[in-house]
Amino acid sequence: MKAVRFHDYGDPDVLRYEDVAVPDPGAGQVRVRVAATSFNSVDGNIRGGFMRGPIPVELPHTPGLDVAGTVDALGEGVDGLAVGDRVVGFLPMDKPGAAAEYVLAPAGVLTAAPKDVPLADAAALPLVALTAYQALFEHGKLAAGQRVLINGAGGAVGGYAVQLAKEAGAHVIATASPRSADAVKSAGADEVVDHTAIGVTAAVSEPVDVALNLAPVDPAELAALVTVVRPGGVVVNTTVWMPAPSDEDRGVRGIDLFVRSDAGQLAKLVALVDSGELRVDVAERVPLAELAALHARAAEGAVHGKVVVTV
């Protein structure tokens, strides 16, 4: 089969489009014929060697944490899945990924793909939507009638976070650049703050229950988010190299989120897609053979929105 792998850590040019053996599923594993994977910023950090501590991978390594595809073969002991099933999943970060024609996945990370979305486009869902879901509801405990600030709403996670928060009945304040303001508004934000023109804390007129930071902001700006959170509220931060701020005197918690695979939560997200309550947005579709060029564009800051890598 064809796959993209890197044999050494480094710049995007270490990625090679090459022939590798088709893997055989072991006990508890499923072989998926890949329709698509997607690009996530963590892919570049893993390739560059910056995540060797938390995400140790064996070289050569195939990137691609999201998978959308069709069940091709079942390992021993796999129940509830059949050859031909259309599935999506968030693969283990330290194992070979889905930038290949076939990938092995633990059966427990897979769930049925959305019915009304092209299968390849469904690869835009797992990692980023799970990040948004876990931030808002598992850690933020967001509920109807509450106020949430989503800092960095113009990115792929932000698009899902705005939709999910609005669907939950929250009042959504979202920061975005002028380039992405319309998209954030169409996702359901009640207020859109142009962070290039005004400071985030100055734009929040009333305290929020949850502040979700998705942006690689200046440490001082991150620390200031705690000041707009009501007593007893929470700051959830996804830029884990900068610790989330907290305020013990006012009972404001600071939580650093590192997303995990959860097929049950992903099934809930798929159900929202199928019911029309959650929209899957794809900014670009790039062939697998061009993955190295995509990594290079991302390293230059020239990739905006969610990119699906078709196989």
Side-chain angles (χ1 to χ4, degrees):
M1 68 174 185
K2 289 294 187 182
V4 172
R5 303 193 298 178
F6 57 88
H7 296 248
D8 298 291
Y9 296 109
D11 292 334
D13 59 10
V14 300
L15 291 167
R16 302 182 193 171
Y17 183 62
E18 58 191 11
D19 291 311
V20 301
V22 175
D24 293 318
Q29 290 184 320
V30 174
R31 185 169 68 208
V32 178
R33 184 180 181 91
V34 180
T37 184
S38 80
F39 176 79
N40 294 287
S41 58
V42 70
D43 292 323
N45 290 328
I46 294 172
R47 183 213 70 238
F50 307 118
M51 303 294 285
R52 277 180 265 192
I55 310 175
V57 300
E58 183 178 326
L59 299 179
H61 178 71
T62 303
L65 298 171
D66 293 307
V67 64
T70 306
V71 173
D72 180 72
L74 303 174
E76 183 182 349
V78 174
D79 296 317
L81 289 168
V83 172
D85 285 352
R86 290 158 44 100
V87 293
V88 292
F90 172 20
L91 299 171
M93 289 187 167
D94 59 347
K95 302 298 181 186
E101 292 181 321
Y102 295 89
V103 68
L104 298 182
V109 308
L110 300 175
T111 194
K115 297 179 178 66
D116 296 327
V117 172
L119 183 57
D121 285 3
L125 186 69
L127 187 151
V128 287
L130 282 170
T131 301
Y133 184 93
Q134 291 170 16
L136 292 172
F137 305 115
E138 189 172 298
H139 299 292
K141 312 295 184 188
L142 186 68
Q146 291 188 327
R147 292 168 55 84
V148 58
L149 168 66
I150 301 172
N151 191 40
V157 176
Y160 286 116
V162 172
Q163 291 184 75
L164 290 169
K166 192 61 183 175
E167 180 63 31
H171 180 88
V172 181
I173 307 163
T175 73
S177 68
R179 183 188 63 241
S180 53
D182 288 344
V184 169
K185 192 73 174 178
S186 70
D190 297 285
E191 302 176 42
V192 179
V193 176
D194 178 0
H195 64 80
T196 68
I198 185 173
V200 176
T201 54
V204 179
S205 57
E206 297 178 41
V208 299
D209 299 275
V210 179
L212 170 55
N213 180 61
L214 304 172
V217 296
D218 181 272
E221 186 178 342
L222 177 63
L225 290 181
V226 77
T227 65
V228 302
V229 178
R230 66 162 179 80
V234 59
V235 177
V236 183
N237 176 44
T238 63
T239 56
V240 292
W241 60 90
M242 292 188 294
S246 60
D247 185 341
E248 292 185 8
D249 292 339
R250 297 192 304 119
V252 177
R253 296 174 296 134
I255 294 174
D256 294 305
L257 169 67
F258 200 81
V259 64
R260 71 178 199 288
S261 185
D262 188 308
Q265 292 177 353
L266 185 55
K268 291 180 182 179
L269 293 162
V270 168
L272 290 172
V273 173
D274 283 339
S275 67
E277 297 166 276
L278 186 65
R279 187 178 70 224
V280 175
D281 289 323
V282 176
E284 282 186 77
R285 296 167 186 85
V286 173
L288 178 62
E290 297 177 14
L291 184 59
L294 173 61
H295 273 239
R297 285 197 291 127
E300 295 168 356
V303 172
H304 306 293
K306 192 63 177 171
V307 181
V308 161
V309 180
T310 57
V311 179

